[in-house]
Amino acid sequence: RDQIPGNGAYPTTSWVAGEYLIDVCDIDAPPGEYAIRIGMYDSATNTRLPVFDVSNLPVGDYSELSTRISVR
């Protein structure tokens, strides 16, 4: 699913360094267990942005949460 955070109210261009953001997203999926992957992209080019680890080394173009969700 692709959406601007905060249901459109908190675009990434308004973020401040060190700020925390909580966002709610409805999921419409068949029953099952799912992993959540989070990634970002440049909307002008649709190029996915790199993700870096705590040592500032690139680890891919998304981050996968360790917690899985269950849809019933």
Side-chain angles (χ1 to χ4, degrees), residues 7 16 58-59 69:
N7 203 21
V16 177
V59 294
I69 63 165

Side-chain angles (χ1 to χ4, degrees), residues 3-20:
Q3 72 180 37
I4 295 173
N7 203 21
Y10 301 112
T12 56
T13 53
S14 70
W15 292 4
V16 177
E19 178 180 27
Y20 286 83

Side-chain angles (χ1 to χ4, degrees), residues 38-42 47-53 56-63:
I38 300 169
M40 299 177 79
Y41 63 92
D42 181 331
T47 302
R48 292 184 62 94
L49 301 177
V51 174
F52 298 88
D53 67 12
N56 207 31
L57 297 173
V59 294
D61 63 3
Y62 66 86
S63 181

